[in-house]
C-alpha cells in the first residue's frame, strides 16, 4: 500500500509506542502482552504513561474507516483498561 | 413592507433523541416541539409494511416490528459500508438520518414557519466522512445546512449564554453513543475552543447493552434459560433496559418482572452499585480520555474553572462522582442536559462569528521520514495540519521527490495524528503528472485547507514545473451517496410519507 514517495528534510520524532503485531495470535495474548508492559520492570507511573500513549492511538483507531482496525482497536482498548485497573487504579 | 425576520434554527441530530430549537425575537433560544407535542424526538425510524409510511419518533420507538425499526443510526454515520435493508431496499445511514431531519423540519415549520437554513450538530469526534454524511442528510431532508458545529461547542455556547460565565470551561458530553470532551475559554459571549477529544461507542446505548447482559444473567440464574434468544428480541429488550437504566439513576434498587408465563418469569432485582460496577470499564475509558485532554493542553484539573455536564448519560451518579473526584469540585449541569445542544446550535446559527473553533483531526500525508541521527528512513504519517489548530486554516509542508525520473507525484491524504501509517485513515489521494527526466530532490509543496464547516481541501504544487492540482476529499462505499444519488434520493424522499 505504501511506497517511497518523498523524503522530509526536517527532524522528526519517532513514535513513543512501538507498533503491535496483531492478527491470529491476538486472542491468545495476555492484556499485558498486548500492551507490551512488564509489571516486574515497570512502575505504576511508567505503566500509566505507556497505557496513555496506547489509549490515544487505539481510541482514534476505534473511529477508523477500516472495519478491521476498528475491531482491533476495541480489543486493544479492553486490554488497556484491564491493565490500567490492575496496575494503576480503578475508578 | 416589512423585512422578513431571520429565523435561526439549530438541530441536535442525536443518537437517541433529536431536537430542533430556534432563537426567539428576545434573543433566547427555545425548543420547538414536534407534531406529537414532544420536545425531544426519539431518533428512531419505523418502516411501515402496508402503506409505505416512515414513522419517526415515539410512534416508531414504542411499538412495531423490531426488524423494521432502525435505532441509533448515528453510530454508523462514519461507516462507509453500512446499509440497512428493509423489503429489499437499501438505506444508508445518511438517508435514515434524513428521515429524522425531515420529520423535524416538517413538524416544527408548523410553529415557526418555513425553515430554510439550519445548523446541525455532530459529535466532536465525528470524522470527515460522518460530517459530510450529516450535511448530505440535511440536503436530502430539504434543508440548507449553513454550518455544522460540534455538540460540546453548542452546549458551551448555551451554558455561557444562560449562566454568564467567564473562564476556562470543560464540557463533558456523554450522550447516547459518544463521549466528547471539549475545553474552551469563555469571555462574556466570546468563545475560543482550545481542544476537542472524543471516544466512539462510549455512551448510553453501550451502557444499555451491558445492563441487558446483567439482566439476562440474573434471568438465567433463576430460570436456567436464556432470556435473549435472537437479535430481534434483543432489540426489544434493549428498549426496556434503557428504562431500567434511567430508574437506576434515581433509585438505588429496582425490581423488574421479565419473561413470560409460557417461557418462564423472573423477578430480577438490580442495584445501582451492580450496574455501575458492570459499566466500570467503560467509565475507565472516560477517565483516560479526560486525562488525555488535559495532558494535551498541559493543564491540571485545578486549571479548569467550570466542568459542565451535557448528555443524558451524565445523569448516572457514578459519572458525576468520578468528575467530582477528578476535579475536586462538583460538575454543573447545562440546564436540561438533553436539550442544551439543540438550544446552543440555534444560538450558534445566530452568532457563529463569536466562536473560534479548532480542527478536529490532524491531516497529513505519507512521506519517507529520515532520522537525522541514524539515517534510517521509514514511511511515516507527516502532519500538515495538526489537530486543534484554530479554523479556518490553511497550512503547507514542503517535501522533495525521493527518486530520479519520477513522473507521477502521488500524495495520500491522511486523517489522524499517529506517526505510524497503520493507525491513520487514507481519506484521499492527489496524483500530479510532472515532466519526465528530473532528478530526485524536486520540491513539492502540499497545502491543506480546513474550512469553518470542517471540510478539507488539499493541493499539491510542483515548484519546478509550476503545475498544481487540488481536490476536495470524497469517499466511496456502499453507504456513501454520490451527487447523482443525492439528487435521485432527494426527489424520492419528497414523495414518501413521513409521520
Amino acid at each position: 500500500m505504501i511506497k517511497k514517495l518523498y523524503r522530509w528534510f526536517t527532524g522528526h520524532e519517532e513514535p513513543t509506542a512501538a507498533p503491535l503485531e496483531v492478527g491470529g495470535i491476538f486472542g491468545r495474548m495476555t492484556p499485558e502482552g498486548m500492551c507490551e508492559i512488564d509489571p516486574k520492570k515497570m512502575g505504576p507511573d511508567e505503566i500509566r504513561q505507556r497505557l496513555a500513549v496506547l489509549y490515544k492511538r487505539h481510541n482514534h483507531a476505534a473511529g477508523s474507516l477500516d472495519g478491521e482496525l476498528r475491531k482491533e482497536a476495541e480489543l486493544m482498548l479492553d486490554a488497556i483498561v484491564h491493565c490500567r485497573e490492575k496496575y494503576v487504579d480503578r475508578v | 413592507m416589512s423585512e422578513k425576520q431571520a429565523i435561526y434554527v439549530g438541530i441536535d441530530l442525536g443518537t437517541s433523541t433529536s431536537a430542533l430549537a430556534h432563537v426567539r425575537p428576545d434573543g433566547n433560544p427555545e425548543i420547538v416541539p414536534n407534531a406529537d407535542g414532544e420536545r425531544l424526538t426519539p431518533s428512531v425510524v419505523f418502516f411501515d409494511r402496508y402503506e409505505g409510511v416512515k414513522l419517526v419518533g415515539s410512534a416508531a420507538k414504542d411499538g412495531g416490528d423490531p426488524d423494521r425499526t432502525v435505532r441509533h443510526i448515528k453510530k454508523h454515520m462514519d461507516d462507509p459500508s453500512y446499509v440497512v435493508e428493509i423489503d429489499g431496499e437499501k438505506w444508508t445511514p445518511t438517508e435514515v438520518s434524513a428521515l429524522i431531519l425531515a420529520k423535524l423540519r416538517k413538524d416544527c415549520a408548523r410553529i415557526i414557519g418555513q425553515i430554510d437554513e439550519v445548523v446541525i450538530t455532530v459529535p466532536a469526534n465525528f470524522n470527515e466522512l460522518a460530517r459530510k454524511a450529516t450535511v448530505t442528510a440535511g440536503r436530502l431532508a430539504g434543508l440548507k445546512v449553513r454550518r455544522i458545529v460540534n455538540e460540546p461547542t453548542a452546549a458551551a455556547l448555551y451554558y455561557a449564554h444562560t449562566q454568564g460565565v467567564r473562564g476556562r470551561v470543560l464540557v463533558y458530553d456523554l450522550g447516547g453513543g459518544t463521549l466528547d470532551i471539549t475545553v474552551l475559554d469563555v469571555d462574556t459571549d466570546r468563545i475560543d475552543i482550545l481542544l476537542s477529544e472524543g471516544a466512539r461507542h462510549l455512551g448510553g446505548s453501550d451502557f444499555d447493552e451491558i445492563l441487558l447482559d446483567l439482566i439476562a444473567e440474573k434471568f438465567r440464574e433463576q430460570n436456567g434459560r436464556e432470556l435473549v434468544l435472537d437479535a430481534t428480541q434483543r432489540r426489544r429488550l434493549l428498549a426496556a433496559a434503557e428504562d431500567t437504566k434511567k430508574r437506576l439513576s434515581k433509585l438505588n434498587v429496582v425490581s423488574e418482572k421479565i419473561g413470560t408465563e409460557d417461557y418462564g418469569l423472573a423477578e430480577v432485582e438490580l442495584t445501582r452499585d451492580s450496574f455501575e460496577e458492570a459499566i466500570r470499564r467503560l467509565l475507565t475509558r472516560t477517565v483516560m480520555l479526560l486525562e488525555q485532554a488535559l495532558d494535551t493542553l498541559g493543564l491540571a484539573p485545578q486549571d479548569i474553572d467550570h466542568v459542565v455536564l451535557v448528555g443524558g448519560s451524565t445523569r448516572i451518579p457514578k459519572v458525576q462522582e468520578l468528575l467530582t473526584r477528578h476535579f475536586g469540585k462538583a460538575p454543573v449541569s447545562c440546564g436540561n442536559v438533553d436539550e442544551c445542544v439543540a438550544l446552543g446550535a440555534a444560538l450558534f446559527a445566530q452568532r457563529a462569528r463569536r466562536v473560534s473553533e479548532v480542527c478536529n483531526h490532524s491531516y497529513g500525508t505519507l512521506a519517507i521520514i529520515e532520522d537525522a541521527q541514524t539515517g534510517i528512513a521509514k514511511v511515516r504519517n507527516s502532519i500538515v495540519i495538526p489537530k486543534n489548530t484554530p479554523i479556518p486554516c490553511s497550512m503547507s509542508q514542503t517535501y522533495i521527490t525521493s527518486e530520479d525520473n519520477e513522473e507521477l507525484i502521488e500524495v495520500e491524504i491522511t486523517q489522524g495524528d499517529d506517526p505510524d501509517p497503520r493507525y491513520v485513515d487514507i481519506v484521499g489521494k492527489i496524483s500530479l503528472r510532472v515532466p519526465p527526466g528530473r532528478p530526485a530532490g524536486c520540491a513539492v509543496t502540499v497545502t491543506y485547507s480546513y474550512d469553518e464547516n470542517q471540510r478539507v481541501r488539499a493541493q499539491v504544487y510542483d515548484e519546478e514545473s509550476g503545475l498544481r492540482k487540488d481536490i476536495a476529499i470524497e469517499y466511496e462505499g456502499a453507504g456513501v451517496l454520490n451527487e447523482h444519488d443525492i439528487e435521485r434520493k432527494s426527489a424520492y424522499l419528497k414523495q414518501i410519507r413521513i409521520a
Side-chain angles (χ1 to χ4, degrees):
Chain A
M1 182 189 77
I2 299 157
K3 61 178 182 179
K4 283 194 174 186
L5 295 174
Y6 315 105
R7 188 187 308 120
W8 193 21
F9 26 20
T10 55
H12 180 73
E13 282 182 21
E14 278 296 293
T16 48
L20 292 171
E21 292 301 324
V22 290
I25 58 165
F26 200 62
R28 286 190 291 251
M29 289 178 77
T30 63
E32 288 82 354
M34 289 163 69
C35 297
E36 295 184 342
I37 60 166
D38 183 349
K40 288 178 185 161
K41 294 179 183 168
M42 300 164 81
D45 276 351
E46 199 180 345
I47 292 174
R48 179 199 285 268
Q49 285 172 17
R50 166 78 188 157
L51 295 177
V53 170
L54 288 176
Y55 175 82
K56 186 177 182 184
R57 163 174 283 175
H58 292 284
N59 181 51
H60 183 269
S64 168
L65 296 171
D66 178 345
E68 287 304 310
L69 188 58
R70 282 205 300 270
K71 283 183 203 162
E72 178 195 314
E74 286 296 332
L75 291 172
M76 277 303 302
L77 288 170
D78 283 344
I80 292 163
V81 167
H82 174 92
C83 292
R84 162 94 183 204
E85 292 188 337
K86 193 169 174 184
Y87 301 109
V88 182
D89 57 14
R90 279 166 70 104
V91 299
Chain B
M1 201 169 87
S2 64
E3 192 178 326
K4 190 184 173 189
Q5 181 84 34
I7 300 179
Y8 298 103
V9 174
I11 296 177
D12 171 13
L13 181 60
T15 305
S16 302
T17 57
S18 297
L20 183 148
H22 78 127
V23 179
R24 294 191 315 228
D26 68 2
N28 290 310
E30 72 176 359
I31 295 288
V32 183
N34 64 24
D36 305 314
E38 299 162 324
R39 297 166 67 84
L40 299 173
T41 300
S43 304
V44 184
V45 179
F46 175 73
F47 292 76
D48 170 58
R49 180 196 301 266
Y50 303 104
E51 299 171 65
V53 179
K54 310 296 179 268
L55 291 181
V56 177
S58 292
K61 184 186 176 191
D62 295 341
D65 180 354
D67 287 342
R68 308 180 74 83
T69 307
V70 180
R71 297 167 185 269
H72 304 139
I73 193 65
K74 185 176 170 184
K75 287 184 139 190
H76 305 286
M77 291 290 269
D78 61 357
D79 186 345
S81 57
Y82 189 87
V83 288
V84 177
E85 189 165 345
I86 294 172
D87 297 331
E89 194 174 359
K90 288 179 179 166
W91 292 80
T92 63
T94 305
E95 292 166 88
V96 177
S97 297
L99 294 171
I100 299 165
L101 290 171
K103 154 92 173 168
L104 291 174
R105 179 184 62 77
K106 185 166 67 81
D107 286 7
C108 298
R110 294 177 188 179
I111 296 171
I112 60 172
Q114 186 180 327
I115 299 166
D116 297 317
E117 288 191 347
V118 295
V119 165
I120 301 179
T121 61
V122 293
N125 70 334
F126 251 23
N127 63 21
E128 170 84 6
L129 168 64
R131 288 167 191 274
K132 191 174 176 191
T134 303
V135 173
T136 304
R139 280 179 65 191
L140 290 178
L143 295 164
K144 183 177 177 192
V145 182
R146 196 158 63 109
R147 289 281 294 269
I148 49 174
V149 61
N150 290 342
E151 289 159 10
T153 302
L157 191 57
Y158 178 68
Y159 178 72
H161 174 79
T162 53
Q163 306 297 316
V165 296
R166 300 175 82 165
R168 187 153 288 166
V169 177
L170 182 142
V171 178
Y172 184 93
D173 181 359
L174 188 58
T178 54
L179 168 65
D180 280 333
I181 291 169
T182 295
V183 182
L184 53 139
D185 281 339
V186 181
D187 187 359
T188 318
D189 62 352
R190 170 82 206 166
I191 287 181
D192 293 307
I193 309 293
L194 304 179
L195 163 147
S196 273
E197 297 287 357
R200 190 176 181 270
H201 290 190
L202 185 44
S205 61
D206 303 289
F207 300 151
D208 297 343
E209 296 270 359
I210 291 171
L211 183 57
L212 177 56
D213 289 342
L214 193 63
I215 293 168
E217 191 183 315
K218 288 182 179 288
F219 183 86
R220 196 182 309 117
E221 283 169 8
Q222 289 187 34
N223 280 352
R225 306 176 85 170
E226 293 300 323
L227 175 65
V228 184
L229 298 174
D230 56 41
T232 302
Q233 195 190 14
R234 185 170 184 88
R235 283 198 286 273
R236 209 182 281 275
L237 287 165
L238 276 171
E242 184 186 355
D243 292 338
T244 304
K245 177 189 70 179
K246 288 176 181 172
R247 280 196 289 278
L248 281 169
S249 286
K250 296 183 176 179
L251 302 168
N252 283 309
V253 185
V254 297
S255 184
E256 303 284 358
K257 281 185 180 164
I258 51 176
T260 63
E261 286 193 6
D262 291 342
Y263 187 68
L265 281 169
E267 184 155 352
V268 171
E269 192 177 278
L270 294 155
T271 64
R272 182 188 294 168
D273 284 347
S274 64
F275 167 61
E276 291 180 343
E277 177 61 19
I279 62 169
R280 193 192 71 238
R281 289 193 165 189
L282 289 182
L283 295 179
T284 297
R285 288 196 196 183
T286 70
V287 171
M288 294 187 82
L289 189 70
L290 203 53
E291 291 172 349
Q292 183 189 309
L294 294 177
D295 281 353
T296 302
L297 290 172
L299 296 177
Q302 58 268 28
D303 296 327
I304 301 295
D305 299 314
H306 312 267
V307 179
V308 179
L309 299 175
V310 180
S313 299
T314 58
R315 291 193 177 94
I316 296 171
K318 184 76 175 178
V319 170
Q320 297 179 23
E321 181 197 317
L322 284 174
L323 291 169
T324 303
R325 202 190 310 157
H326 198 88
F327 289 97
K329 58 184 164 240
V332 293
S333 170
C334 185
N336 185 334
V337 294
D338 297 314
E339 297 181 351
C340 58
V341 170
L343 292 163
L347 285 172
F348 187 87
Q350 186 189 43
R351 53 186 80 167
R353 275 181 294 177
R354 295 178 217 171
V355 180
S356 162
E357 295 186 280
V358 295
C359 189
N360 296 294
H361 297 276
S362 294
Y363 289 89
T365 185
L366 298 183
I368 297 171
I369 309 292
E370 200 171 86
D371 187 302
Q373 289 180 328
T374 65
I376 296 171
K378 287 181 185 170
V379 174
R380 288 288 174 208
N381 175 36
S382 166
I383 292 170
V384 178
I385 297 182
K387 184 176 179 176
N388 295 319
T389 299
I391 59 168
C393 64
S394 180
M395 299 178 88
S396 300
Q397 283 278 2
T398 299
Y399 304 86
I400 55 173
T401 54
S402 60
E403 290 168 18
D404 293 339
N405 300 316
E406 275 194 56
E407 292 183 35
L408 192 65
I409 294 172
E410 291 182 308
V411 172
E412 290 177 281
I413 303 159
T414 62
Q415 181 178 260
D417 51 7
D418 202 301
D420 188 335
R422 180 166 142 68
Y423 296 99
V424 296
D425 283 319
I426 308 291
V427 295
K429 185 175 179 179
I430 312 181
S431 299
L432 179 69
R433 196 159 284 284
V434 292
R438 307 190 314 171
C442 294
V444 175
T445 300
V446 174
T447 302
Y448 292 161
S449 306
Y450 198 91
D451 72 15
E452 52 196 10
N453 258 333
Q454 298 148 30
R455 300 287 311 281
V456 185
R457 288 194 73 86
Q459 184 190 76
V460 57
Y461 172 61
D462 179 63
E463 294 188 10
E464 189 183 279
S465 66
L467 293 168
R468 69 181 72 222
K469 195 170 186 179
D470 77 322
I471 62 161
I473 293 170
E474 301 292 339
Y475 295 89
E476 292 177 356
V480 181
L481 303 177
N482 59 35
E483 273 303 315
H484 174 69
D485 291 335
I486 293 169
E487 282 183 23
R488 191 168 51 85
K489 301 273 185 180
S490 183
Y492 173 61
L493 285 184
K494 279 179 189 154
Q495 292 168 5
I496 61 178
R497 210 176 117 208
I498 301 166

